Amino acid sequence: MGIVVGCVHVGCVHVGCVHVGCVHVGCVHVGIRTQADIGWVVKAAGQARSGGRCGEREMNHFEEKSGIVASETPWGRWYQTLEEVVLEVSVPVGTPPREVRCELAPRTLLVKVVGTTIIQGKLWGTVISEESTWTLEDRRVLRVVLVKSHREAGSCWPSLLEGAFPADPITLDNMQKKLTLERFQNENPGFDFSGAEISGNYQGGGPDLSQLG
């Protein structure tokens, strides 16, 4: 079956490059390429950019535009992008930096606040500890940014630690969708995927759309 790229459609399914029930609305719609991709649908809610790249600010703020998908925990929440895993840890109001102990290693994490261990264990994936950071914001929220070693859409962390703080199935599914859209955005800056919807074969990072633009 063929592939339809660079077209602008919504409400249709492309099978062998045949448009069925197609209505043109101004959203990106990528067709089916192989039997394994049947059921794959991408509907970019934003308008396709005509003949140009997204501005640098838009590309740098994909996360801000599309929102985050967070996994709630007893201490706060964590979420991820293609490049990072971010933790937001609630701490007692007024906590000074000297009462925070945060040890970042390639495969382990330790967070202590006012002498109490909040997080300790083996990370689900490997991080670049030299590039990872932590900051205490307004003396009430500890933000830990872990830089992933593997930055592919297929490398979605199902849990923060091995055996602790997993994302629930719905949240994990939405995380994978978001990483796939972020990957599409990076590969196709001429389109806006920040408000897109995905269904079908997006597990593992989704199909190759590198020729979309």
Side-chain angles (χ1 to χ4, degrees):
M1 289 186 288
I3 178 171
V4 181
V5 294
C7 30
V8 181
H9 300 291
V10 71
C12 60
V13 177
H14 300 194
V15 181
C17 299
V18 177
H19 301 183
V20 181
C22 181
V23 179
H24 299 245
V25 180
C27 295
V28 178
H29 192 162
V30 180
I32 297 168
R33 298 182 304 154
T34 66
Q35 188 69 24
D37 288 336
I38 289 179
W40 169 267
V41 179
V42 175
K43 299 175 183 177
Q47 290 187 344
R49 315 277 192 227
S50 57
R53 296 171 63 89
C54 288
E56 181 179 354
R57 182 179 182 280
E58 292 174 303
M59 286 298 297
N60 291 341
H61 289 79
F62 173 82
E63 195 72 22
E64 178 181 334
K65 293 174 65 179
S66 59
I68 65 174
V69 178
S71 177
E72 302 296 327
T73 69
W75 41 262
R77 64 181 186 174
W78 68 273
Y79 60 93
Q80 61 186 307
T81 67
L82 282 177
E83 298 186 349
E84 302 171 339
V85 174
V86 181
L87 291 65
E88 295 179 351
V89 183
S90 298
V91 302
V93 176
T95 298
R98 66 176 180 273
E99 294 291 348
V100 175
R101 178 184 172 190
C102 193
E103 297 181 2
L104 310 176
R107 284 305 307 271
T108 60
L109 174 64
L110 171 65
V111 176
K112 280 189 174 184
V113 179
V114 195
T116 300
T117 299
I118 308 297
I119 305 170
Q120 183 176 23
K122 187 175 183 180
L123 294 167
W124 180 267
T126 304
V127 302
I128 304 174
S129 55
E130 297 83 359
E131 299 180 13
S132 300
T133 61
W134 66 269
T135 56
L136 185 59
E137 301 178 356
D138 299 324
R139 295 196 173 194
R140 65 175 62 208
V141 176
L142 173 65
R143 184 182 301 273
V144 182
V145 179
L146 304 174
V147 179
K148 292 180 177 179
S149 295
H150 303 289
R151 306 173 187 180
E152 300 87 21
S155 299
C156 181
W157 289 26
S159 179
L160 177 62
L161 303 180
E162 291 187 358
F165 312 122
D168 65 70
I170 294 177
T171 300
L172 179 58
D173 188 64
N174 288 329
M175 283 181 171
Q176 179 64 80
K177 289 179 180 179
K178 193 167 189 304
L179 293 190
T180 302
L181 288 176
E182 186 179 354
R183 190 206 111 199
F184 290 167
Q185 184 69 79
N186 291 343
E187 293 177 352
N188 304 280
F191 297 92
D192 183 3
F193 288 91
S194 61
E197 298 178 0
I198 313 177
S199 65
N201 182 26
Y202 54 83
Q203 298 298 329
D208 180 13
L209 300 184
S210 58
Q211 298 180 352
L212 180 60

